Amino acid sequence: MGFFLETLLGGLMTGMLYALVALGFVLIFKASGVFNFAQGAMVLFAALAMARFSEWIPGWLGLDNKILANLLAFVIAGALMFVVAWLVEFLVLRHLVNQEGATLLMATLGITYFLEGMGQTLFGSDIYSIDIGMPKDPMFLLEGMFEGGILVNKEDVIAALIAAALVAALSVFFQKTKTGRALRAVADDHQAAQSIGIPLSRIWVIVWTVAGVVALVAGMIWGSKLGVQFSLTTIALRALPVVILGGLTSVPGAIIGGLIIGVGEKLSEVYLGPFVGGGIEIWFAYVLALVFLLFRPQGLFGEKIIDRV
């Protein structure tokens, strides 16, 4: 039982990180109807900025305080993601209002390759580390209930708590604030939203900035765990099944989908992997997403589209 709970907790913590990346897809799709293929590139770009600024700032300002240097690096990287959001809106999105979904998707593909190339041009292409002070040593829980206790990595716990707090804040933002309601209105109909005075350009800058901050937090956490490298862009591919499972328009769906995928991957690898030679964790999420596409393509919490003719 103790080993099962250990595996379950590991899956839940991984699932929260998947949900954090999936939120970037959901936020932009809810506000603009655009499937943002550039979310993985945004994670890489933000993580590169965070890693490099945290290295450069102590030399620039003569700081010995690592916490302050990391905080300044986070603020500067966040400001940089705002600039990226503004440029995306100014140079791309405002020229593609009411265009076909395929056109918008291709635009985000262009943004993907631009961010990947620009990130490596500005910050380099080596493997960088992000040290934000999260403890990496393990700890044992419930030692009185189970022999040996349950082994949990402190870094995973802190990362999951950060992801959960950000997910909760974004849920409140979308459901309870005037700006959040405006974002949903823009997603429903661009022209109708403009006709009632909602500034489309400002809304898009806001949502891409929020998605950029989400990418920054996700890149910071994954970069701390795995190092900042080009493979971080594949994190977005790991989040695609989460979006399919939860629904492209649902913030709660991204959370539930992430938890289901995270737990499913860990449990299937541990309990089914030995019978099939392992490797289930790699493809489990995609098979589950395929099943949902066949029987419930809108996802668990997505809006069902009904075309009347």
Side-chain angles (χ1 to χ4, degrees):
M1 185 63 180
F3 179 70
F4 171 79
L5 289 177
E6 186 176 304
T7 306
L8 181 66
L9 285 174
L12 289 173
M13 288 184 286
T14 300
M16 282 307 305
L17 297 181
Y18 285 161
L20 184 60
V21 180
L23 268 179
F25 290 104
V26 173
L27 289 172
I28 290 178
F29 191 84
K30 281 176 71 70
S32 60
V34 177
F35 184 81
N36 180 28
F37 207 85
Q39 190 63 30
M42 291 171 67
V43 171
L44 173 64
F45 187 86
L48 280 171
M50 176 71 190
R52 298 300 275 158
F53 283 129
S54 63
E55 290 179 9
W56 293 337
I57 284 176
W60 291 345
L61 303 180
L63 286 176
D64 293 327
N65 190 320
K66 196 169 189 179
I67 296 176
L68 181 58
N70 282 331
L71 182 60
L72 288 174
F74 182 84
V75 172
I76 295 173
L80 184 60
M81 297 311 293
F82 167 76
V83 173
V84 169
W86 180 82
L87 288 174
V88 166
E89 190 283 324
F90 182 76
L91 298 176
V92 181
L93 293 182
R94 70 169 55 185
H95 305 290
L96 297 176
V97 175
N98 292 319
Q99 294 297 313
E100 295 292 330
T103 302
L104 294 168
L105 176 62
M106 293 305 295
T108 66
L109 280 173
I111 295 168
T112 297
Y113 292 115
F114 174 78
L115 287 179
E116 288 178 0
M118 184 58 66
Q120 293 178 76
T121 298
L122 293 175
F123 304 115
S125 56
D126 292 333
I127 298 177
Y128 303 104
S129 62
I130 297 179
D131 184 7
I132 54 177
M134 291 198 298
K136 297 182 181 294
D137 52 314
M139 62 180 179
F140 292 90
L141 303 175
L142 304 178
E143 294 181 79
M145 295 180 61
F146 304 102
E147 184 179 353
I150 298 173
L151 179 65
V152 178
N153 191 305
K154 288 182 180 180
E155 183 181 36
D156 290 340
V157 173
I158 295 173
L161 290 175
I162 292 172
L166 184 56
V167 166
L170 289 172
S171 299
V172 172
F173 170 72
F174 257 99
Q175 300 299 326
K176 302 298 183 182
T177 66
K178 183 179 178 181
T179 302
R181 291 191 291 271
L183 294 176
R184 299 202 305 272
V186 168
D188 290 338
D189 191 315
H190 295 170
Q191 290 182 331
Q194 285 180 307
S195 68
I196 61 173
I198 296 176
L200 195 60
S201 60
R202 182 170 66 87
I203 291 298
W204 276 352
V205 169
I206 290 173
V207 75
W208 277 77
T209 300
V210 172
V213 172
V214 170
L216 173 57
V217 175
M220 186 173 66
I221 292 173
W222 283 104
S224 175
K225 290 167 62 68
L226 307 174
V228 180
Q229 51 191 313
F230 187 77
S231 62
L232 269 184
T233 56
T234 62
I235 295 295
L237 297 179
R238 304 286 290 177
L240 281 178
V242 174
V243 176
I244 294 170
L245 187 65
L248 261 174
T249 59
S250 174
V251 172
I255 303 168
I256 301 301
L259 295 178
I260 292 174
I261 294 293
V263 170
E265 283 183 348
K266 297 297 183 184
L267 292 179
S268 62
E269 182 65 31
V270 169
Y271 291 104
L272 299 179
F275 298 103
V276 297
I280 293 181
E281 190 173 359
I282 297 173
W283 52 260
F284 171 84
Y286 298 96
V287 173
L288 185 61
L290 178 60
V291 172
F292 268 78
L293 285 174
L294 292 174
F295 296 101
R296 190 178 173 83
Q298 73 272 21
L300 288 171
F301 300 93
E303 299 172 1
K304 192 170 184 178
I305 299 173
I306 301 175
D307 290 329
R308 305 185 190 279
V309 295

